[in-house]
Amino acid sequence: MLVITLLKTHLTMFSKKEIIDILSDNSQNEELFRLADKTRVKYVGDEVYLRGLIEFSNICKCTCHYCGLRFENKAIERYRLSADEIIDCAKKAASKGIKTIVLQSGEDIHFTKEVMCKIITEIKKLNTALTLSIGERTFDDYKAFKDAGADRYLLRIETTDKSLYERLHPGMDFYNRLKCLKNLKKLGYETGSGSLVGLPGQSIESLADDILFFKENDFDMIGVGPFLPHPSTPLKDASHGDFTLSLKVMALIRILMKNINIPATTAMETLHQHGRILALQSGANVVMPNVTKADYKEKYEIYPDKSTNNNDIDTIKEKIISIGRIASKDFGFRKK
Ligand code: 5AD
């Protein structure tokens, strides 16, 4: 009943209870996905923004229980690209028409404020937008990156359940994460957040809180994906997150937040053969082809099988066109 009622009344806000009801009831999923798709067409159109992802270091000082890059994982071969190699990847992507470069890494202390600013300055000469996804830093660092030309920043909250957050992120402080997000917004970044779906110990209620948190903070981008257990982490024996539930969380975010940018995440594609397309047809309008050099790509194993996906620019463009959408040539800032 509820989804059909929403369809008819075009509500823009749901209560926590309504969100929980929608997430718990699978009888109207198709209506939900259709409504999300309609909202996507109306507010952001048929263009799909391409973001060229460069995974420039898998070295990380954190010990997040779910992540294959965690410091304590000794079974992973670590790498770090030089500034020149990073800039080279960005140039190649830009030459193929990519208009946003995303620099992502573990929390690698080698990349000081000064080192990052040099890389940012060089990449901005390529006439692309630039997104950073390098974790928690000081206000001063975030300001320096912004002044050097960075446009956007991705920092998922991962879960808004404080006690679950602290269990999964030893040595990290939930309030510092919130402070980082606040600082990024204050500095004028287009700010992205998001969460993992299906973390052990996570409830439907807490997913509803995540959705309300994203809406309240009016983030410009939200990335949602299922948790996938990595064999070299403490969560190796946990079960993976549910694909449909991840899609529903994403669809609800589109319906509530209208004009934001939402990626069809790689984790969706890893868990389901057509995950990326289904996400694009249920609210998503962004894809992030991997433009890291092949020999490094496979070592950036946040979760298993990540690198085996068809993540290159040409394959992704073909998929976009095959579902009647347009591979955008635009920077893809949030539509106002
Ligand atoms: N499964 C799915 N996603 C993961 N991430 C980290 N580890 C996993 C995992 N095991 C996600 C986190 C992080 C993003 C870069 O990757 O949400 O923010």
Side-chain angles (χ1 to χ4, degrees), residues 37 48-51 53 224 226 243 247 250 262-290 297 303 305-320 322-323 325:
D37 199 43
V48 176
Y49 300 129
L50 299 177
R51 321 291 202 198
L53 176 65
V224 167
F243 177 79
L247 209 57
M250 193 199 76
I262 301 181
T265 56
T266 307
M268 296 262 201
E269 181 83 351
T270 304
L271 191 53
H272 189 295
Q273 204 190 347
H274 305 298
R276 190 176 286 127
I277 284 187
L278 289 169
L280 285 172
Q281 293 173 328
S282 309
N285 70 318
V286 172
V287 181
M288 296 167 72
N290 196 319
K297 232 187 229 183
Y303 47 81
D305 299 329
K306 186 180 149 286
S307 58
T308 59
N309 287 295
N310 299 319
N311 266 340
D312 61 286
I313 299 173
D314 293 333
T315 312
I316 284 179
K317 276 190 183 167
E318 267 171 42
K319 277 201 180 177
I320 292 169
S322 78
I323 56 167
R325 301 274 280 278

Short mmCIF file of all heavy atoms in Angstrom, two decimals, residues 37 48-51 53 224 226 243 247 250 262-290 297 303 305-320 322-323 325:
data_model
loop_
_atom_site.label_atom_id
_atom_site.label_comp_id
_atom_site.label_asym_id
_atom_site.label_seq_id
_atom_site.Cartn_x
_atom_site.Cartn_y
_atom_site.Cartn_z
N ASP A 37 13.25 5.81 -10.63
CA ASP A 37 13.70 6.05 -12.00
C ASP A 37 13.02 7.31 -12.58
O ASP A 37 13.66 8.13 -13.23
CB ASP A 37 13.40 4.82 -12.86
CG ASP A 37 14.23 4.81 -14.14
OD1 ASP A 37 15.45 5.12 -14.07
OD2 ASP A 37 13.68 4.51 -15.21
N VAL A 48 24.40 10.17 -18.08
CA VAL A 48 25.12 9.48 -17.01
C VAL A 48 26.52 10.09 -16.94
O VAL A 48 27.23 10.16 -17.94
CB VAL A 48 25.22 7.96 -17.29
CG1 VAL A 48 26.05 7.26 -16.23
CG2 VAL A 48 23.82 7.35 -17.39
N TYR A 49 26.87 10.60 -15.76
CA TYR A 49 28.19 11.22 -15.60
C TYR A 49 29.25 10.15 -15.37
O TYR A 49 29.06 9.24 -14.56
CB TYR A 49 28.19 12.18 -14.41
CG TYR A 49 27.19 13.31 -14.56
CD1 TYR A 49 26.29 13.62 -13.55
CD2 TYR A 49 27.16 14.08 -15.73
CE1 TYR A 49 25.38 14.65 -13.68
CE2 TYR A 49 26.25 15.11 -15.88
CZ TYR A 49 25.37 15.40 -14.85
OH TYR A 49 24.47 16.42 -14.99
N LEU A 50 30.37 10.31 -16.07
CA LEU A 50 31.48 9.36 -15.91
C LEU A 50 32.56 9.99 -15.05
O LEU A 50 32.99 11.11 -15.31
CB LEU A 50 32.08 9.01 -17.28
CG LEU A 50 31.13 8.34 -18.28
CD1 LEU A 50 31.84 8.12 -19.61
CD2 LEU A 50 30.67 7.00 -17.73
N ARG A 51 32.98 9.28 -14.04
CA ARG A 51 34.06 9.76 -13.16
C ARG A 51 35.22 8.78 -13.28
O ARG A 51 35.05 7.59 -12.97
CB ARG A 51 33.62 9.78 -11.68
CG ARG A 51 32.19 10.23 -11.41
CD ARG A 51 31.97 11.69 -11.68
NE ARG A 51 30.81 12.21 -10.97
CZ ARG A 51 30.21 13.35 -11.31
NH1 ARG A 51 30.61 14.05 -12.35
NH2 ARG A 51 29.19 13.80 -10.62
N LEU A 53 38.16 6.93 -12.04
CA LEU A 53 38.69 6.62 -10.70
C LEU A 53 40.16 6.17 -10.76
O LEU A 53 40.49 5.22 -11.46
CB LEU A 53 37.82 5.51 -10.08
CG LEU A 53 38.24 4.97 -8.72
CD1 LEU A 53 38.12 6.04 -7.64
CD2 LEU A 53 37.39 3.76 -8.35
N VAL A 224 25.98 4.10 -2.21
CA VAL A 224 25.51 3.01 -1.35
C VAL A 224 25.86 1.69 -2.02
O VAL A 224 25.71 1.53 -3.22
CB VAL A 224 23.96 3.10 -1.20
CG1 VAL A 224 23.40 1.83 -0.60
CG2 VAL A 224 23.58 4.31 -0.35
N PRO A 226 26.39 -2.88 -1.17
CA PRO A 226 26.35 -3.98 -0.20
C PRO A 226 27.72 -4.23 0.41
O PRO A 226 28.74 -4.08 -0.27
CB PRO A 226 25.92 -5.18 -1.06
CG PRO A 226 26.38 -4.83 -2.44
CD PRO A 226 26.28 -3.34 -2.56
N PHE A 243 21.54 -7.62 -2.09
CA PHE A 243 21.56 -6.74 -3.27
C PHE A 243 20.28 -5.89 -3.36
O PHE A 243 20.34 -4.67 -3.54
CB PHE A 243 21.73 -7.57 -4.55
CG PHE A 243 21.68 -6.73 -5.79
CD1 PHE A 243 22.78 -5.99 -6.18
CD2 PHE A 243 20.51 -6.65 -6.54
CE1 PHE A 243 22.73 -5.18 -7.31
CE2 PHE A 243 20.45 -5.84 -7.67
CZ PHE A 243 21.57 -5.11 -8.05
N LEU A 247 19.72 -1.81 -3.27
CA LEU A 247 19.04 -1.08 -4.35
C LEU A 247 17.87 -0.26 -3.80
O LEU A 247 17.63 0.87 -4.23
CB LEU A 247 18.52 -2.12 -5.36
CG LEU A 247 18.41 -1.72 -6.82
CD1 LEU A 247 19.73 -1.23 -7.39
CD2 LEU A 247 17.90 -2.91 -7.65
N MET A 250 19.15 2.83 -2.06
CA MET A 250 19.55 3.81 -3.09
C MET A 250 18.33 4.48 -3.73
O MET A 250 18.30 5.70 -3.92
CB MET A 250 20.39 3.07 -4.14
CG MET A 250 21.13 3.98 -5.08
SD MET A 250 21.59 3.07 -6.58
CE MET A 250 20.00 3.03 -7.39
N ILE A 262 24.14 10.18 -7.81
CA ILE A 262 24.18 8.85 -7.17
C ILE A 262 24.90 7.86 -8.09
O ILE A 262 24.45 7.62 -9.20
CB ILE A 262 22.75 8.34 -6.88
CG1 ILE A 262 22.00 9.32 -5.96
CG2 ILE A 262 22.78 6.93 -6.29
CD1 ILE A 262 20.58 8.87 -5.60
N PRO A 263 26.01 7.29 -7.63
CA PRO A 263 26.71 6.32 -8.48
C PRO A 263 26.07 4.93 -8.42
O PRO A 263 25.53 4.53 -7.39
CB PRO A 263 28.11 6.27 -7.87
CG PRO A 263 27.90 6.59 -6.43
CD PRO A 263 26.72 7.54 -6.36
N ALA A 264 26.16 4.25 -9.57
CA ALA A 264 25.88 2.81 -9.59
C ALA A 264 27.19 2.19 -9.13
O ALA A 264 28.17 2.18 -9.86
CB ALA A 264 25.54 2.37 -11.01
N THR A 265 27.24 1.73 -7.89
CA THR A 265 28.54 1.39 -7.30
C THR A 265 29.09 0.05 -7.80
O THR A 265 28.34 -0.84 -8.21
CB THR A 265 28.45 1.35 -5.75
OG1 THR A 265 27.41 0.43 -5.36
CG2 THR A 265 28.14 2.72 -5.18
N THR A 266 30.41 -0.06 -7.75
CA THR A 266 31.09 -1.28 -8.18
C THR A 266 30.67 -2.47 -7.31
O THR A 266 30.57 -3.60 -7.80
CB THR A 266 32.62 -1.07 -8.11
OG1 THR A 266 32.91 0.12 -8.85
CG2 THR A 266 33.37 -2.22 -8.73
N ALA A 267 30.40 -2.21 -6.02
CA ALA A 267 29.99 -3.31 -5.14
C ALA A 267 28.66 -3.91 -5.62
O ALA A 267 28.44 -5.13 -5.51
CB ALA A 267 29.87 -2.81 -3.70
N MET A 268 27.77 -3.08 -6.17
CA MET A 268 26.50 -3.59 -6.72
C MET A 268 26.78 -4.55 -7.88
O MET A 268 26.17 -5.61 -8.00
CB MET A 268 25.63 -2.44 -7.25
CG MET A 268 25.20 -1.45 -6.19
SD MET A 268 23.53 -1.79 -5.64
CE MET A 268 23.10 -0.19 -4.95
N GLU A 269 27.72 -4.13 -8.76
CA GLU A 269 28.06 -4.93 -9.93
C GLU A 269 28.78 -6.23 -9.52
O GLU A 269 28.64 -7.26 -10.17
CB GLU A 269 28.96 -4.09 -10.86
CG GLU A 269 29.39 -4.76 -12.13
CD GLU A 269 28.36 -4.68 -13.25
OE1 GLU A 269 27.21 -4.26 -12.98
OE2 GLU A 269 28.70 -5.07 -14.38
N THR A 270 29.52 -6.17 -8.43
CA THR A 270 30.25 -7.35 -7.97
C THR A 270 29.28 -8.41 -7.45
O THR A 270 29.46 -9.61 -7.66
CB THR A 270 31.25 -6.97 -6.85
OG1 THR A 270 32.11 -5.94 -7.36
CG2 THR A 270 32.09 -8.15 -6.40
N LEU A 271 28.22 -7.95 -6.81
CA LEU A 271 27.29 -8.89 -6.18
C LEU A 271 26.25 -9.42 -7.17
O LEU A 271 25.74 -10.53 -7.02
CB LEU A 271 26.57 -8.19 -5.01
CG LEU A 271 25.76 -9.06 -4.07
CD1 LEU A 271 26.60 -10.21 -3.53
CD2 LEU A 271 25.21 -8.23 -2.91
N HIS A 272 25.94 -8.64 -8.21
CA HIS A 272 24.89 -9.03 -9.15
C HIS A 272 25.41 -8.79 -10.57
O HIS A 272 25.97 -7.72 -10.86
CB HIS A 272 23.65 -8.16 -8.90
CG HIS A 272 22.44 -8.60 -9.65
ND1 HIS A 272 22.37 -8.56 -11.02
CD2 HIS A 272 21.25 -9.09 -9.22
CE1 HIS A 272 21.18 -9.00 -11.41
NE2 HIS A 272 20.48 -9.34 -10.34
N GLN A 273 25.18 -9.77 -11.44
CA GLN A 273 25.71 -9.71 -12.81
C GLN A 273 25.31 -8.42 -13.54
O GLN A 273 26.07 -7.88 -14.33
CB GLN A 273 25.18 -10.93 -13.56
CG GLN A 273 26.04 -11.32 -14.72
CD GLN A 273 25.36 -12.38 -15.58
OE1 GLN A 273 24.35 -12.99 -15.18
NE2 GLN A 273 25.90 -12.58 -16.76
N HIS A 274 24.09 -7.97 -13.29
CA HIS A 274 23.63 -6.74 -13.96
C HIS A 274 23.45 -5.59 -12.96
O HIS A 274 22.62 -4.71 -13.14
CB HIS A 274 22.31 -7.00 -14.68
CG HIS A 274 22.38 -8.14 -15.64
ND1 HIS A 274 23.22 -8.12 -16.73
CD2 HIS A 274 21.76 -9.34 -15.66
CE1 HIS A 274 23.11 -9.26 -17.38
NE2 HIS A 274 22.24 -10.02 -16.76
N GLY A 275 24.23 -5.65 -11.89
CA GLY A 275 24.05 -4.70 -10.80
C GLY A 275 24.13 -3.25 -11.21
O GLY A 275 23.36 -2.42 -10.76
N ARG A 276 25.06 -2.96 -12.10
CA ARG A 276 25.25 -1.56 -12.47
C ARG A 276 24.05 -1.04 -13.26
O ARG A 276 23.55 0.06 -13.00
CB ARG A 276 26.54 -1.42 -13.28
CG ARG A 276 26.93 0.01 -13.51
CD ARG A 276 28.25 0.13 -14.23
NE ARG A 276 29.39 -0.19 -13.41
CZ ARG A 276 30.33 -1.08 -13.73
NH1 ARG A 276 30.26 -1.77 -14.84
NH2 ARG A 276 31.34 -1.29 -12.93
N ILE A 277 23.59 -1.86 -14.20
CA ILE A 277 22.43 -1.44 -15.02
C ILE A 277 21.19 -1.31 -14.14
O ILE A 277 20.45 -0.33 -14.24
CB ILE A 277 22.22 -2.43 -16.19
CG1 ILE A 277 23.29 -2.16 -17.24
CG2 ILE A 277 20.81 -2.31 -16.77
CD1 ILE A 277 23.15 -2.92 -18.52
N LEU A 278 20.98 -2.29 -13.29
CA LEU A 278 19.80 -2.20 -12.40
C LEU A 278 19.86 -0.95 -11.54
O LEU A 278 18.84 -0.29 -11.33
CB LEU A 278 19.70 -3.47 -11.53
CG LEU A 278 19.31 -4.73 -12.28
CD1 LEU A 278 19.49 -5.97 -11.39
CD2 LEU A 278 17.86 -4.65 -12.78
N ALA A 279 21.04 -0.60 -11.07
CA ALA A 279 21.18 0.62 -10.26
C ALA A 279 20.87 1.85 -11.10
O ALA A 279 20.15 2.75 -10.67
CB ALA A 279 22.59 0.69 -9.67
N LEU A 280 21.39 1.87 -12.35
CA LEU A 280 21.11 3.02 -13.23
C LEU A 280 19.62 3.15 -13.54
O LEU A 280 19.15 4.23 -13.85
CB LEU A 280 21.90 2.89 -14.54
CG LEU A 280 23.39 3.19 -14.47
CD1 LEU A 280 24.08 2.84 -15.79
CD2 LEU A 280 23.66 4.66 -14.13
N GLN A 281 18.92 2.03 -13.45
CA GLN A 281 17.48 2.05 -13.74
C GLN A 281 16.62 2.19 -12.47
O GLN A 281 15.40 2.12 -12.52
CB GLN A 281 17.08 0.79 -14.52
CG GLN A 281 17.71 0.79 -15.91
CD GLN A 281 17.50 -0.50 -16.67
OE1 GLN A 281 17.42 -1.57 -16.06
NE2 GLN A 281 17.41 -0.41 -17.98
N SER A 282 17.30 2.37 -11.33
CA SER A 282 16.56 2.51 -10.06
C SER A 282 17.01 3.75 -9.29
O SER A 282 16.96 3.79 -8.07
CB SER A 282 16.81 1.27 -9.18
OG SER A 282 16.56 0.10 -9.90
N GLY A 283 17.51 4.76 -10.02
CA GLY A 283 17.84 6.02 -9.36
C GLY A 283 19.24 6.54 -9.61
O GLY A 283 19.50 7.73 -9.45
N ALA A 284 20.19 5.67 -9.99
CA ALA A 284 21.58 6.12 -10.15
C ALA A 284 21.78 6.90 -11.45
O ALA A 284 21.10 6.64 -12.45
CB ALA A 284 22.54 4.93 -10.09
N ASN A 285 22.74 7.85 -11.45
CA ASN A 285 23.05 8.62 -12.66
C ASN A 285 24.55 8.85 -12.85
O ASN A 285 24.94 9.72 -13.62
CB ASN A 285 22.32 9.98 -12.61
CG ASN A 285 22.91 10.91 -11.56
OD1 ASN A 285 23.23 10.48 -10.46
ND2 ASN A 285 23.07 12.18 -11.89
N VAL A 286 25.36 8.08 -12.14
CA VAL A 286 26.81 8.24 -12.20
C VAL A 286 27.46 6.87 -12.28
O VAL A 286 26.97 5.92 -11.63
CB VAL A 286 27.34 8.96 -10.93
CG1 VAL A 286 28.86 8.96 -10.87
CG2 VAL A 286 26.80 10.39 -10.83
N VAL A 287 28.54 6.76 -13.07
CA VAL A 287 29.34 5.53 -13.06
C VAL A 287 30.81 5.95 -12.95
O VAL A 287 31.21 7.00 -13.45
CB VAL A 287 29.13 4.67 -14.32
CG1 VAL A 287 29.95 3.41 -14.26
CG2 VAL A 287 27.67 4.30 -14.50
N MET A 288 31.58 5.12 -12.27
CA MET A 288 32.99 5.46 -12.04
C MET A 288 33.92 4.44 -12.69
O MET A 288 34.39 3.52 -12.03
CB MET A 288 33.25 5.54 -10.53
CG MET A 288 32.45 6.67 -9.88
SD MET A 288 32.40 6.61 -8.08
CE MET A 288 34.07 7.08 -7.68
N PRO A 289 34.21 4.61 -14.00
CA PRO A 289 35.15 3.68 -14.62
C PRO A 289 36.52 3.77 -13.95
O PRO A 289 36.94 4.85 -13.52
CB PRO A 289 35.23 4.16 -16.08
CG PRO A 289 34.60 5.50 -16.13
CD PRO A 289 33.72 5.63 -14.93
N ASN A 290 37.17 2.63 -13.85
CA ASN A 290 38.48 2.59 -13.20
C ASN A 290 39.56 2.91 -14.23
O ASN A 290 39.70 2.21 -15.22
CB ASN A 290 38.69 1.20 -12.60
CG ASN A 290 39.82 1.20 -11.61
OD1 ASN A 290 40.86 1.82 -11.84
ND2 ASN A 290 39.63 0.53 -10.50
N LYS A 297 45.47 -1.97 -10.41
CA LYS A 297 44.03 -2.16 -10.21
C LYS A 297 43.71 -3.38 -9.35
O LYS A 297 42.94 -3.30 -8.41
CB LYS A 297 43.41 -2.40 -11.60
CG LYS A 297 42.25 -1.52 -11.94
CD LYS A 297 41.67 -2.01 -13.25
CE LYS A 297 41.48 -0.88 -14.22
NZ LYS A 297 40.86 -1.28 -15.47
N TYR A 303 37.40 -5.29 -1.38
CA TYR A 303 36.62 -6.53 -1.20
C TYR A 303 36.94 -7.46 -2.37
O TYR A 303 37.45 -7.00 -3.40
CB TYR A 303 35.12 -6.25 -1.10
CG TYR A 303 34.60 -5.31 -2.15
CD1 TYR A 303 34.31 -5.77 -3.44
CD2 TYR A 303 34.45 -3.96 -1.89
CE1 TYR A 303 33.87 -4.90 -4.41
CE2 TYR A 303 34.00 -3.08 -2.86
CZ TYR A 303 33.72 -3.57 -4.13
OH TYR A 303 33.30 -2.70 -5.10
N ASP A 305 37.07 -9.85 -5.72
CA ASP A 305 36.54 -9.84 -7.10
C ASP A 305 36.26 -8.45 -7.64
O ASP A 305 35.66 -8.29 -8.69
CB ASP A 305 35.25 -10.68 -7.22
CG ASP A 305 35.50 -12.13 -6.88
OD1 ASP A 305 36.63 -12.58 -7.13
OD2 ASP A 305 34.58 -12.78 -6.35
N LYS A 306 36.68 -7.43 -6.92
CA LYS A 306 36.39 -6.06 -7.34
C LYS A 306 37.02 -5.75 -8.69
O LYS A 306 36.39 -5.12 -9.54
CB LYS A 306 36.94 -5.11 -6.27
CG LYS A 306 36.59 -3.69 -6.49
CD LYS A 306 37.17 -2.85 -5.37
CE LYS A 306 37.52 -1.48 -5.87
NZ LYS A 306 38.73 -1.47 -6.70
N SER A 307 38.25 -6.26 -8.90
CA SER A 307 38.96 -5.88 -10.11
C SER A 307 38.50 -6.64 -11.34
O SER A 307 38.83 -6.29 -12.46
CB SER A 307 40.45 -6.08 -9.91
OG SER A 307 40.68 -7.43 -9.59
N THR A 308 37.73 -7.71 -11.15
CA THR A 308 37.34 -8.52 -12.30
C THR A 308 36.12 -7.94 -13.02
O THR A 308 35.66 -8.46 -14.01
CB THR A 308 37.01 -9.97 -11.87
OG1 THR A 308 35.95 -9.89 -10.92
CG2 THR A 308 38.19 -10.65 -11.25
N ASN A 309 35.60 -6.84 -12.50
CA ASN A 309 34.44 -6.23 -13.16
C ASN A 309 34.85 -5.45 -14.41
O ASN A 309 35.95 -4.99 -14.51
CB ASN A 309 33.74 -5.28 -12.19
CG ASN A 309 33.01 -6.07 -11.15
OD1 ASN A 309 32.09 -6.77 -11.47
ND2 ASN A 309 33.47 -5.98 -9.92
N ASN A 310 33.88 -5.33 -15.30
CA ASN A 310 34.15 -4.58 -16.53
C ASN A 310 34.05 -3.09 -16.25
O ASN A 310 33.03 -2.48 -16.48
CB ASN A 310 33.14 -4.99 -17.62
CG ASN A 310 33.28 -6.46 -17.91
OD1 ASN A 310 34.39 -6.97 -17.99
ND2 ASN A 310 32.16 -7.14 -18.06
N ASN A 311 35.15 -2.59 -15.76
CA ASN A 311 35.15 -1.21 -15.25
C ASN A 311 35.83 -0.21 -16.16
O ASN A 311 36.09 0.90 -15.75
CB ASN A 311 35.87 -1.19 -13.89
CG ASN A 311 34.88 -1.33 -12.75
OD1 ASN A 311 33.70 -1.09 -12.94
ND2 ASN A 311 35.36 -1.71 -11.59
N ASP A 312 36.18 -0.63 -17.40
CA ASP A 312 36.89 0.31 -18.25
C ASP A 312 35.91 1.25 -18.96
O ASP A 312 34.71 0.97 -19.08
CB ASP A 312 37.77 -0.44 -19.26
CG ASP A 312 36.92 -1.31 -20.15
OD1 ASP A 312 36.46 -2.37 -19.66
OD2 ASP A 312 36.68 -0.94 -21.31
N ILE A 313 36.43 2.37 -19.43
CA ILE A 313 35.58 3.44 -19.98
C ILE A 313 34.71 2.92 -21.13
O ILE A 313 33.50 3.17 -21.16
CB ILE A 313 36.45 4.62 -20.48
CG1 ILE A 313 37.24 5.22 -19.31
CG2 ILE A 313 35.59 5.71 -21.14
CD1 ILE A 313 38.25 6.28 -19.71
N ASP A 314 35.32 2.19 -22.08
CA ASP A 314 34.56 1.79 -23.27
C ASP A 314 33.42 0.83 -22.94
O ASP A 314 32.31 0.97 -23.44
CB ASP A 314 35.50 1.16 -24.31
CG ASP A 314 36.47 2.20 -24.85
OD1 ASP A 314 36.10 3.39 -24.84
OD2 ASP A 314 37.59 1.83 -25.24
N THR A 315 33.69 -0.17 -22.06
CA THR A 315 32.65 -1.12 -21.69
C THR A 315 31.50 -0.39 -20.99
O THR A 315 30.32 -0.67 -21.25
CB THR A 315 33.22 -2.20 -20.73
OG1 THR A 315 34.42 -2.69 -21.27
CG2 THR A 315 32.25 -3.33 -20.51
N ILE A 316 31.85 0.54 -20.14
CA ILE A 316 30.82 1.27 -19.40
C ILE A 316 29.99 2.14 -20.35
O ILE A 316 28.76 2.17 -20.26
CB ILE A 316 31.47 2.07 -18.25
CG1 ILE A 316 31.82 1.10 -17.13
CG2 ILE A 316 30.56 3.19 -17.76
CD1 ILE A 316 32.49 1.68 -15.92
N LYS A 317 30.65 2.81 -21.28
CA LYS A 317 29.91 3.64 -22.25
C LYS A 317 28.92 2.79 -23.04
O LYS A 317 27.77 3.18 -23.24
CB LYS A 317 30.88 4.34 -23.21
CG LYS A 317 31.45 5.63 -22.66
CD LYS A 317 32.20 6.37 -23.77
CE LYS A 317 32.84 7.62 -23.21
NZ LYS A 317 33.81 8.21 -24.13
N GLU A 318 29.38 1.61 -23.48
CA GLU A 318 28.50 0.71 -24.24
C GLU A 318 27.26 0.35 -23.44
O GLU A 318 26.14 0.35 -23.95
CB GLU A 318 29.24 -0.61 -24.56
CG GLU A 318 29.93 -0.63 -25.89
CD GLU A 318 30.80 -1.87 -26.00
OE1 GLU A 318 30.35 -2.96 -25.60
OE2 GLU A 318 31.95 -1.72 -26.47
N LYS A 319 27.48 0.03 -22.16
CA LYS A 319 26.35 -0.35 -21.30
C LYS A 319 25.36 0.80 -21.17
O LYS A 319 24.15 0.60 -21.19
CB LYS A 319 26.85 -0.76 -19.91
CG LYS A 319 27.31 -2.18 -19.84
CD LYS A 319 27.30 -2.70 -18.40
CE LYS A 319 27.78 -4.14 -18.36
NZ LYS A 319 27.85 -4.69 -17.02
N ILE A 320 25.88 2.00 -21.00
CA ILE A 320 25.03 3.18 -20.83
C ILE A 320 24.15 3.36 -22.07
O ILE A 320 22.93 3.57 -21.97
CB ILE A 320 25.90 4.44 -20.57
CG1 ILE A 320 26.58 4.33 -19.20
CG2 ILE A 320 25.08 5.72 -20.68
CD1 ILE A 320 27.66 5.36 -18.93
N SER A 322 23.40 1.09 -24.29
CA SER A 322 22.51 -0.06 -24.50
C SER A 322 21.20 0.07 -23.73
O SER A 322 20.21 -0.57 -24.09
CB SER A 322 23.22 -1.36 -24.12
OG SER A 322 23.24 -1.49 -22.70
N ILE A 323 21.16 0.90 -22.71
CA ILE A 323 19.89 1.07 -21.99
C ILE A 323 19.23 2.43 -22.32
O ILE A 323 18.38 2.92 -21.58
CB ILE A 323 20.05 0.90 -20.45
CG1 ILE A 323 21.11 1.86 -19.88
CG2 ILE A 323 20.35 -0.55 -20.09
CD1 ILE A 323 21.10 1.98 -18.35
N ARG A 325 20.54 5.44 -22.51
CA ARG A 325 20.99 6.63 -21.77
C ARG A 325 22.17 7.25 -22.53
O ARG A 325 22.66 6.69 -23.51
CB ARG A 325 21.39 6.23 -20.34
CG ARG A 325 20.24 5.59 -19.56
CD ARG A 325 19.36 6.59 -18.87
NE ARG A 325 19.94 7.07 -17.64
CZ ARG A 325 19.88 6.44 -16.46
NH1 ARG A 325 19.28 5.25 -16.37
NH2 ARG A 325 20.41 6.97 -15.38
#
